[in-house]
Structure formats: C-alpha cells, structure tokens
Amino acid sequence: MNRDQLRAPAVSVIVIVYNDAARLPTAVRSVLDQTLRDIEIVIVDDRSTDGSYEVAREMAAGDPGRIRVLRLPENSGGCGAPRNRGIEEARGEHVVFLDSDDVLERNACRNLLEAAETTGADLVCGLCVRVHVDSRTGKEGKWYPWLYERTRTLESISELPDLLVYDTLSTNKCYRRRFLLDEGLRFPVGIHYEDLLFSARAYVAARRITLIPDRVYDWHVTEKPAPTGVKSISNRRHEIANFAHRMEIHRRVDRLLADSGLLELKFHKDVKFLKHDLVLHLRDLPFRDAAYRQEFAAIAREYLESIDRAAFDRTEPVHAICAYLLQMSDWDNLLPAVDTLTNRDKISSSLVERDGRVYWCAEHLDDDFGRHVLDVTELGCHARPVERMFLRNALTGYARSGRTLRLSGRIVNPLGVVPPGARLAGELEFYARRKGVRLRTHRFPVTTLRHEGGFLAWEATADLGAVRPLGIVDAVWDVRLHLDVDGKRTSTRLTAADVDLGSGALPVRPRLTRLVADRIEPVVSARGHLAFRLVPDKKAAALVLRGVHGPAGRLAKSGYRRSRSLRKKLASGETKLRIYHEVFSRLPVRKGLVVFESHLGRQYSDSPRAVYEEMRRQGLRFEAVWSYAGRPDGFPADATLLRRWSLPYLRALAQAEFWIDNQSYPLKLTKRPGTTYLQTWHGSALKRMGFDDAEWKLRSRAEQEAQQRTLDRFDRFLIRSEHDVRTLARAFRLQEKTLLRVGYPRNDALVHARQREEASGGVRERGPLAAELGIPDDRTVLLYAPTFRRRGGGRQRFELPFDVERFADAFGDRYVLLVRSHYLNHVVLPPSVRGRVVDVTAHHDMTPLLALADALITDYSSVMFDYALLDRPMFFLVHDYEEYVHEGRGTYFDLLERAPGPVVRTEDELHAALGSLDEQTVKYAAARERFVAAFGEYDRGTAARSVVDQFFAGWRRG
C-alpha cells in the first residue's frame, strides 16, 4: 500500500443502496465527476436482492483507488444502519451522505469543504433542490431556500431555529468526521424518519454551523413506482406504522431539546409540526377506513397534548382547527376541515355565528380553547357573496345503469348565504382535465335542487353516451357542478372520498376508435374529487401505446407540442408587445378615440372618471374605451370595456387619439406621436416618489433610463399645487411645459360640496350613498382610509391598528365608521360590528365616500390632501410613524408639524380625540385652512371642465 492510499481523503461520500441497480451508477458518477478530486466513495449495500451489490462491485473494480463496497449481513429495512456502517468505515476528514436515487451537484464537495475549512464548522449545509424526474419539463423546487440566501456561520442552532425545524435532511450537508465520532452521532435503526433525529442531534451538538447558498444536492422526486416496486417512505403515509414512527421520532427530538435546554426551539418545532408534519398525514384521512382513523387519532392525540397551545396561533386557522378536532375525535367536523386543508379556500362547513363571531362549527364552543381555535371570523367568509365562495359539495349517492349515472349530493350553505327563497338552478359539467384538449364540455341539468338549511341537496342524471373522448390525450375527465343562486353563479367540485363508486366501468363511444378506449371508470382524485378515467382493453392498449411511442406517435406528439408552444407564445407578453409595436402601431390613429384607465384597470374611479363624465355631460362626440382588470362590474355601460393587456386593448391604445389615466399604462408600450397622454395622477405626495426614492437611485443606469422613458410619455401632467411641482414633477423629471395647473378633476365634487354647505348655512347633504349603506340619520359618519401596507405579493390582508369591536362598543351609538382600505389591501370586519362599522373598500370611487364622511381618520395616505378641501375634521393615527418615515421611503415634510388635525399614536389617544369631535373641529380650523392653501391651491372645482375645454372643445356637437 503506497503513501497516497494511506493518506486520508478530504471527503468520504457514503452512498447507500437497496435494490436500485438501475440508478446507482448515476449517483456514483455524480461523485466521480466532482470538481474536488480528493474523494473516496463508500458504497453500502443494504443486502439487495436485485444485483445492486454486483453493480457496485463492478464500479469498484473499475476504480479501486476511489470506490469501496460494503454489504450488510441482512436487510435493515431503513437508511440508518447502512449510513452508520459507512461512518465507521469512512477514512475521510469529512463525510457526505448520498442516496442511490439522487445525485450531487458537480461542485458540491468542493464548496462544502471550502466552507468547512474556512470557518472551522463541524457542520456545513447547502441548498437541496427537489427535481421532479417524472415531469417532462424537469420541474424543480428549492428546499426551504430562504435558509440559504447567503453564506452565514452560526455559533449555535438557537441563532436560527428554522434550520433545525425545516431542514431536517442529512444529505445536503458535510460533517467533520471527528465531530461525528466524538459526539457518537449515529442514525437510529429500525425506525423511519431517522434523518429528523440525526439532524437534530447534529445541529444541537455542533459548535459551529455554516450555511452556503450553493446548490449541493439534487433530490430526485418521482410519483411512479421505483424499479423495486416499493414506494419510498414519504410515499407510504397510508401505513399506520409510518405515522407511528414519525411520532416516535418527534418525541425523541423533543426530549433532546428539553435535555439541552432548548425549549424555545421546541416551540418553533411545534408550529412546524402543526403546519407541515401533521398536515401530510391528515390529507390521507378521507381515503382511510374507520379503523385506521381511530388508530391514527389515538397516536396523534397523545402527541398533540404536548404541543404548546400558543403554537396553534402561529399556524393557518384550518391547520389549528384540524389539530383540535383530531384531538376531540370529531370526525363529522374534522373530515370537512381536511377537505379545506387539501383544497385551499374551499368552505367546507356551514359555519355558525355566536355573539358576533363566526365559528367553524357549533360544537366545542363551551371549551375556551376550542372556542378560540374554531373562531374563523378573520377568514371573512361571512362577508363574501355566494359567487365568490368555493363550496364543499359532498357526493351522497352514485348509481349507474348502462351509460347513465344517477348522482346526488349536498352543497354546504355557510351562514345561510343561500336564503330559503332563492331561485336555484344547477348543471353538471364533464370536462377533460388536460387544458390543451378541452375542445368541448358536456353539461347535464340538475333535476332536483332544494334548500335544507345548512345544505343544498341536489340530484342529477348524466348520460355518458354524450361524452365523446378522443383517448390518450384526454384520458382523465373531471366533474363540477355549477350552482346558480338568484342569477349569481359559483362552481363546486364533487367530493367523493366517502362514497362507494363500485367497481364497474361505463361504456363510452370514443371519437377515433374503440381501440383507444371504450370504457370509463370512476376514480377519486388526489384532492378527493370525483373524476373518470378511460380504461382501454389491455391488448388494444398495447397496440395503441406501441403506436403512440413509435415514429408516427412521436411525430403526432411533436406536432401537438409545437402547436401548444406556439399558442402559448402567441399569448405571451413578449408577443403582445411585438404585435403592438409592429402591427397595431402601423394602423392609423382613430380621431375621437379615448382610452381611459384608473388604478391599472382595477376601478372606474378617480380623475379619469371625472373627466369622462364631464365629456358625457357636455355631449361630446367621441369613442370611449375603459380598461378593466378582473371583472367589468361597475364600469360604465355607455363605453367599450376591454380587458387590460388583451389584444383589443393594445390595439385601442395603439390607435387612440388620447390616453387618460391616473397611474400608468403598461410600461413597455411606446406612445405614438399622434397620441396625447393626459396623466391625471392619483394624489399629492407625502412620501418620496420617483427618483427621490432611495430605491430608485440604487437601480442600474439602464433601469433608470427605462423608467424615465415611461415617464416621458406624459404629454400633460395635472398639478393641484406648487407642492406637486416641487415633489412629483421634480421626482419624475417632468418639463415645465408638461405641467397643467388645473387641480384634480376628482376633487371638483368635494369643492362643490363645501360650497353648497357654506351657501346653506352649514346644512350637509348626505345623498343616496348613506341610505345605500344603511346609515341612520342621527349618526355621525367617520371614514378610516389608511395608506397601502405591503405584506408580500398580491392583494393582501390589512390588519387594523385598533380593536374595531372596542371602537364599535365605545362609539356605536354616535358614529358609523366606514373602513376603506387601499385597493391593493383588504380588511375583514367581524359580524359583531355589523351596522356600526362598514367595509366600503369595494366601492370603486373614493370621492363619494369622502363627501359623505363628517370626519376622516387616516395615517399617511394622500387622501388627506383631498379631504382637506371639505374643511372637516381629520385625525391622524400613526402607530408606526418612526418605521414608516425613517425606515421607509422618507417624506417630503414632517406630518407631525403640519397635520391639520390631532396626531395620535395609540388606540386610547384616538378614542380620546374622537370623544371631542366638535372641539377638534374648531381647534384645527386655521391649520386646515393653511393645509388647503399649501396643498390644494389649484383645486377650484373647475378641473374637469378645464381639461375638457382645453383638449376636447372641438368635439362638441353642433
């Protein structure tokens, strides 16, 4: 034996294998191809029966200096024993584990080793990526990527509890071998989920842990059976022993944390258990029999007793509800809750209202903890109309006769959203699951539909002889029931996990040939819904599949994929931009065509609306187009409505003589020279905007230039005060000739409201909106309108900075509070404040709400500049002032000094200020006058008319 063979390698990669001869060479090759050459490979065979050991020995014979092969005397049934044997036999200074069905990233060992040597860490962790090998597109998903955004070193796992809680893998890590030996770290044997305990022990024992952002491990995920025919541990959750093993591992980890004095980590782990570990098994419950459920509950109940109750508040409500109902063995309420767990946003319970709060069910409300957990008021289900509800539709009957199906079911009716006297109609729809082949759907009327309080019962008959599949490409058909309630429609799926679907297939007539398939059988989807699958004759199927996978089939599939790719490309944003610039922009400008848009198409509101209505009032001859995003509800019937980013919308913009909006048309659209862009903007600025924003200044020169090009599209920019000139105009780098000092058209109505009030000696007109909102004549109207709060992407929930129920109790006999969150946020009000606090966020236009309000409560919103025109009291609730001003964008002036009303930080201060409304009105009269002079000097009530006179006077009818 020479000196090189005696010297310890830098890294030992322990590859474990059991009956995986086909994939083992790929795993080993990923180690041999590492850019770090100083590696040994220790293959440990867990007594395979398929030739894996022989394959391993052949590879070792081909590279004896780097590969060693070991074999256990008998199969251990898990990963622990072969990994432990590998630790004992490894000679490297560091150890890495690899499973035979996965691979290492090419630079994994080099990156892990460099981090270990640089930081002296006992343990180095890198990014694992789940690769879905069954997917044609090679779908990938990073494993908890937020842990690996940057390189960092921890002196203790308590510095980053999420690492222990979430990254429980042993395979994306590099361990100092002396650390493993000194700490006696070994995997538990004879029990599944051994990684959880081993990783926890390693995290707790490590004196230093380093995380690197590099991809190191590819975890190959497959839904198809492994070559051995045996499912992986993660795909065997239907086995009760699997769940029992998971619970035992969790108990051992808990004892470890307790013994180590790391109880705070135990709390984080409790939260993750409720959000993840328990959820994985709960989703399978609807598919299991009563005996399994009872045994499952018995195992889970014991462990759930050890969970910190505070952890229930750190999970999504449905997670906490499921855990609680499981503890109570309340299957009648639990199984519907699991349906919601599996199908996000589905309302699976009829719900119940008690004392102004909404609960998942009527049971367990006498238990204080149960009442707390089952409170689902914050979900806002009580505030949704039926057309915005995804309702549980439980299949209760399934019978067949020839090609005919007789189905029945019950649709949940939460809080009686469907009243007893509602007009009801419904239809069943069968449609191919694969979107690309939904050439047609098949609908059958629901013959019986009746109201049964908390449920709607239905019956229907479907003749599947009308369903004509092509075969192969549309092998799976889903079913849904469309429910019509007084003209409003919602769609439901048929939950079928608890219904006997029989074993017989139904005959169908395929479009091409019966060789493809001539029968269809019912199945239950992974989400628990009824579906149908084509069942071909076995011999015919072999012929068809041979053709499908042969030259002709490959040609057909290739053609289909090319056509689908072409359709996708034609619908892409890049293609639409090319069509806009290369096709539509060569069409002639259409005189008199005006495209209006407000808040990116989300609303019919603001100054664009005011200008449009003034043009209609004056009877001008023009062609009006309004863009909308989402639904066109609430937009004007006397205009052409076009969906934002649709081809007709892009064509209208390309040919329009005028663009009028308050924010921005799509940024990458070049405005034609023949088009005039009137930018009304959507409010004066308190917070820094445009190039005054530090974030904009940090962008690259190319990004700044692209942003400037979008701003340079403005031909005229409406100004309401010289403050706008010093702030918005400068921040957007607008030229003086662009500025139009006429005020905001949306504010004309507010100026007129004040003028009418002054002319009538202080009499205030409320108008029809008060009656629409149900506001009593003897109530003072307060409007709470905060600015936008960012909580991540999408339309986000806004948390009120005060207790709305306390507010209603304190002031409900005097005030009605209107809550208007930003259009990108939404708010949920409990039923207990009904009639005293009203959510008016859905109202497109803010101006009528401002005119109705007797006083305004806001924070930093630009609505303060508009409302000041009414000369009514304002209150500023700025509970997060330092954070907003100093950690955010910054502001153009100090609100604390110039606010035309009391500035309060707390709920108590707000209540005190509102208790003396008349006093505040008088006290801040001079401040309001100064505020209007500074920020609304051009708002004189003539803005809309001025804009029309300057740009559209020639369009008046003769």
Side-chain angles (χ1 to χ4, degrees):
M1 186 175 292
N2 59 38
R3 181 176 300 176
D4 288 339
Q5 290 174 313
L6 291 173
R7 186 181 62 82
V11 176
S12 293
V13 179
I14 298 171
V15 184
I16 64 169
V17 61
Y18 173 69
N19 284 1
D20 201 13
R23 293 182 293 192
L24 176 62
T26 302
V28 174
R29 177 54 57 189
S30 76
V31 185
L32 293 173
D33 290 343
Q34 289 288 299
T35 53
L36 177 71
R37 304 302 298 171
D38 192 10
I39 295 176
E40 74 160 349
I41 303 172
V42 180
I43 303 175
V44 184
D45 176 67
D46 196 11
R47 205 67 184 184
S48 297
T49 60
D50 73 335
S52 295
Y53 180 60
E54 288 72 20
V55 169
R57 293 188 64 184
E58 289 177 10
M59 288 186 290
D63 199 341
R66 302 188 69 195
I67 302 176
R68 289 186 291 137
V69 180
L70 308 170
R71 193 180 197 190
L72 298 189
E74 59 183 20
N75 177 249
S76 69
C79 300
R83 285 177 182 160
N84 291 341
R85 178 70 185 279
I87 293 173
E88 295 166 1
E89 298 291 338
R91 298 197 303 261
E93 296 179 5
H94 297 83
V95 172
V96 171
F97 298 110
L98 173 64
D99 291 346
S100 61
D101 53 345
D102 301 327
V103 297
L104 293 179
E105 193 275 335
R106 190 165 182 266
N107 297 295
C109 290
R110 178 179 297 279
N111 290 332
L112 290 167
L113 179 63
E114 286 181 355
E117 292 180 336
T118 301
T119 65
D122 291 327
L123 174 60
V124 180
C125 314
L127 180 66
C128 171
V129 177
R130 286 164 56 93
V131 181
H132 295 261
V133 294
D134 288 347
S135 170
R136 290 197 305 269
T137 58
K139 176 184 173 184
E140 295 184 349
K142 296 178 180 178
W143 185 252
Y144 300 112
W146 80 85
L147 296 171
Y148 296 100
E149 292 177 345
R150 60 183 175 87
T151 298
R152 52 181 162 176
T153 298
L154 312 174
E155 300 300 326
S156 167
I157 187 60
S158 60
E159 295 178 26
L160 186 62
D162 279 355
L163 183 60
L164 177 142
V165 170
Y166 289 97
D167 188 0
T168 56
L169 301 178
S170 64
T171 49
N172 58 331
K173 298 171 176 62
C174 177
Y175 309 83
R176 193 177 301 278
R177 183 167 175 266
R178 177 49 52 190
F179 162 67
L180 296 179
L181 296 177
D182 290 347
E183 296 294 337
L185 290 176
R186 297 293 188 275
F187 290 87
V189 177
I191 188 169
H192 300 319
Y193 302 106
E194 56 277 299
D195 271 23
L196 276 70
L197 182 56
F198 178 84
S199 296
R201 287 173 174 167
Y203 285 138
V204 170
R207 288 160 295 183
R208 184 170 294 166
I209 304 168
T210 295
L211 285 70
I212 60 175
D214 304 283
R215 179 175 183 163
V216 300
Y217 195 89
D218 283 6
W219 175 1
H220 286 174
V221 181
T222 176
E223 297 300 325
K224 296 177 181 177
T228 61
V230 178
K231 290 185 176 182
S232 66
I233 299 299
S234 59
N235 287 327
R236 285 154 55 188
R237 290 190 295 269
H238 61 284
E239 299 175 1
I240 196 66
N242 186 293
F243 182 63
H245 283 202
R246 185 187 285 270
M247 293 299 94
E248 175 58 25
I249 287 291
H250 274 283
R251 280 189 285 268
R252 294 186 190 184
V253 173
D254 291 347
R255 285 197 296 270
L256 168 69
L257 297 178
D259 293 343
S260 305
L262 297 172
L263 294 180
E264 181 183 352
L265 270 66
K266 165 68 164 60
F267 175 78
H268 289 279
K269 181 178 162 296
D270 285 348
V271 174
K272 192 251 188 176
F273 176 81
L274 295 175
K275 293 169 61 174
H276 176 74
D277 299 78
L278 183 61
V279 168
L280 290 176
H281 293 270
L282 282 173
R283 286 176 175 153
D284 288 331
L285 279 186
F287 305 96
R288 305 293 164 242
D289 59 26
Y292 178 96
R293 293 173 185 172
Q294 293 299 332
E295 190 172 357
F296 177 88
I299 296 171
R301 192 180 302 114
E302 179 184 354
Y303 186 75
L304 285 169
E305 290 295 333
S306 72
I307 296 288
D308 188 330
R309 287 190 167 186
F312 282 72
D313 291 332
R314 297 282 295 273
T315 68
E316 292 186 28
V318 68
H319 294 159
I321 288 169
C322 286
Y324 176 80
L325 294 175
L326 180 61
Q327 279 186 282
M328 307 305 293
S329 294
D330 183 351
W331 300 105
D332 290 341
N333 288 305
L334 172 59
L335 293 178
V338 172
D339 196 4
T340 294
L341 189 71
T342 305
N343 298 278
R344 189 177 180 86
D345 296 327
K346 181 187 282 191
I347 302 176
S348 298
S349 169
S350 56
L351 308 180
V352 62
E353 183 179 330
R354 294 282 190 275
D355 303 322
R357 306 294 294 180
V358 177
Y359 299 94
W360 182 260
C361 57
E363 292 74 24
H364 317 296
L365 300 186
D366 54 345
D367 172 18
D368 290 342
F369 183 61
R371 190 178 184 90
H372 175 72
V373 169
L374 297 171
D375 189 334
V376 293
T377 308
E378 302 304 319
L379 296 181
C381 298
H382 59 280
R384 292 188 212 169
V386 67
E387 64 270 21
R388 288 180 49 212
M389 288 184 169
F390 177 25
L391 302 174
R392 174 178 166 90
N393 184 352
L395 193 66
T396 57
Y398 177 96
R400 51 158 292 188
S401 177
R403 290 194 177 101
T404 302
L405 277 181
R406 292 190 301 278
L407 305 175
S408 60
R410 293 204 313 169
I411 303 171
V412 71
N413 184 20
L415 299 172
V417 68
V418 180
R423 300 188 313 275
L424 303 177
E427 64 177 4
L428 284 177
E429 181 181 66
F430 290 70
Y431 59 97
R433 179 173 296 176
R434 183 174 288 181
K435 294 180 180 180
V437 294
R438 292 183 187 173
L439 304 177
R440 58 180 296 194
T441 60
H442 307 278
R443 295 183 175 90
F444 307 94
V446 173
T447 53
T448 301
L449 190 53
R450 61 183 179 273
H451 200 289
E452 293 185 350
F455 298 91
L456 304 175
W458 62 270
E459 297 173 5
T461 301
D463 179 9
L464 294 193
V467 178
R468 302 291 307 279
L470 289 170
I472 303 173
V473 294
D474 58 351
V476 180
W477 288 69
D478 290 313
V479 188
R480 58 188 167 199
L481 187 149
H482 299 294
L483 175 66
D484 188 287
V485 181
D486 289 332
K488 302 294 185 180
R489 169 175 278 207
T490 187
S491 295
T492 70
R493 297 292 303 275
L494 276 57
T495 299
D498 276 343
V499 177
D500 182 7
L501 301 178
S503 58
L506 294 88
V508 293
R509 294 182 299 155
R511 288 178 178 274
L512 299 178
T513 171
R514 292 184 184 275
L515 288 176
V516 174
D518 61 358
R519 293 171 296 150
I520 192 168
E521 67 177 4
V523 294
V524 180
S525 72
R527 293 184 177 273
H529 297 138
L530 178 66
F532 289 87
R533 180 175 57 204
L534 293 177
V535 184
D537 177 84
K538 291 183 179 180
K539 292 183 179 179
L543 294 173
V544 172
L545 289 175
R546 193 176 303 139
V548 167
H549 296 297
R554 287 195 295 271
L555 181 62
K557 286 188 288 186
S558 175
Y560 167 73
R561 288 170 185 160
R562 281 197 301 270
S563 66
R564 188 174 63 176
S565 175
L566 179 60
R567 289 198 304 271
K568 184 176 180 181
K569 185 176 181 181
L570 289 175
S572 69
E574 181 182 351
T575 300
K576 288 180 176 180
L577 286 173
R578 289 186 59 188
I579 293 174
Y580 173 85
H581 288 107
E582 298 176 15
V583 180
F584 292 157
S585 292
R586 295 180 181 180
L587 300 174
V589 170
R590 284 158 51 184
K591 295 297 181 181
L593 174 59
V594 186
V595 178
F596 297 86
E597 188 169 288
S598 178
H599 293 302
L600 308 179
R602 291 183 175 91
Q603 297 177 354
Y604 172 57
S605 67
D606 214 76
S607 291
R609 173 177 180 170
V611 173
Y612 170 75
E613 291 180 350
E614 177 66 18
M615 294 172 72
R616 288 298 191 201
R617 189 187 66 78
Q618 293 192 22
L620 304 186
R621 290 189 295 260
F622 70 106
E623 182 183 355
V625 167
W626 269 92
S627 86
Y628 69 91
R631 299 171 62 89
D633 301 343
F635 285 81
D638 56 356
T640 299
L641 308 183
L642 299 178
R643 183 182 295 276
R644 200 172 195 266
W645 264 112
S646 66
L647 288 176
Y649 165 82
L650 295 177
R651 177 170 180 167
L653 283 177
Q655 293 191 270
E657 186 177 357
F658 283 90
W659 292 358
I660 301 178
D661 96 308
N662 66 352
Q663 196 159 344
S664 178
Y665 289 105
L667 300 180
K668 295 184 179 180
L669 299 184
T670 302
K671 183 182 69 67
R672 299 174 66 180
T675 300
T676 299
Y677 190 167
L678 302 182
Q679 174 56 257
T680 71
W681 204 238
H682 52 274
S684 298
L686 169 63
K687 58 188 176 186
R688 295 188 177 275
M689 303 291 290
F691 290 100
D692 289 343
D693 181 0
E695 183 180 326
W696 280 39
K697 294 177 182 178
L698 293 175
R699 294 179 182 176
S700 68
R701 176 176 297 180
E703 290 175 320
Q704 292 190 27
E705 290 175 350
Q707 186 65 45
Q708 189 62 57
R709 284 194 296 272
T710 67
L711 297 170
D712 289 343
R713 296 180 301 176
F714 304 159
D715 292 298
R716 304 307 294 270
F717 186 90
L718 270 58
I719 295 294
R720 58 180 308 211
S721 71
E722 288 305 305
H723 170 76
D724 290 354
V725 177
R726 295 188 297 271
T727 56
L728 292 172
R730 186 187 66 184
F732 294 157
R733 299 175 180 173
L734 302 178
Q735 299 181 30
E736 175 63 31
K737 65 180 181 180
T738 304
L739 309 183
L740 191 62
R741 293 173 169 83
V742 297
Y744 281 171
R746 74 182 185 193
N747 288 339
D748 290 349
L750 301 181
V751 175
H752 296 158
R754 178 179 177 180
Q755 291 171 346
R756 288 193 300 271
E757 186 175 340
E758 290 174 344
S760 63
V763 177
R764 191 167 295 170
E765 298 177 7
R766 282 195 165 176
L769 182 57
E772 177 187 333
L773 297 175
I775 299 174
D777 293 338
D778 62 344
R779 297 293 194 276
T780 298
V781 180
L782 306 182
L783 174 65
Y784 176 55
T787 192
F788 171 62
R789 289 297 198 280
R790 186 176 299 279
R791 296 286 188 273
R795 189 169 181 264
Q796 298 297 314
R797 165 83 179 279
F798 172 63
E799 298 289 346
L800 291 169
F802 58 91
D803 185 335
V804 70
E805 291 180 294
R806 180 188 171 198
F807 183 97
D809 291 340
F811 297 108
D813 59 340
R814 300 163 55 190
Y815 302 145
V816 169
L817 178 66
L818 309 181
V819 178
R820 176 55 147 74
S821 63
H822 191 278
Y823 66 87
L824 290 176
N825 296 136
H826 73 282
V827 69
V828 172
L829 300 176
S832 58
V833 302
R834 192 181 290 124
R836 298 175 294 172
V837 184
V838 183
D839 180 11
V840 293
T841 305
H843 284 250
H844 278 222
D845 205 351
M846 185 75 159
T847 303
L849 297 171
L850 294 175
L852 173 62
D854 297 301
L856 173 72
I857 306 170
T858 187
D859 46 14
Y860 320 100
S861 172
S862 64
V863 72
M864 70 176 75
F865 303 107
D866 305 312
Y867 192 77
L869 298 170
L870 291 165
D871 192 28
R872 299 175 190 172
M874 288 187 278
F875 303 84
F876 297 85
L877 177 57
V878 291
H879 64 288
D880 56 351
Y881 183 79
E882 281 74 19
E883 176 186 349
Y884 189 88
V885 172
H886 301 302
E887 298 179 21
R889 295 183 186 175
T891 59
Y892 285 115
F893 62 88
D894 189 344
L895 180 64
L896 301 181
E897 294 181 0
R898 304 188 68 172
V903 178
V904 297
R905 303 293 188 101
T906 67
E907 184 176 6
D908 288 341
E909 291 177 358
L910 175 64
H911 282 209
L914 291 174
S916 55
L917 187 61
D918 293 338
E919 179 183 331
Q920 303 296 343
T921 302
V922 176
K923 181 179 178 179
Y924 286 92
R928 291 195 300 274
E929 185 176 351
R930 290 192 299 269
F931 199 78
V932 171
F935 302 109
E937 58 191 293
Y938 302 129
D939 279 324
R940 304 187 183 96
T942 58
R945 187 171 73 247
S946 179
V947 169
V948 172
D949 289 347
Q950 290 189 51
F951 296 96
F952 308 110
W955 295 2
R956 293 190 176 97
R957 300 180 187 275

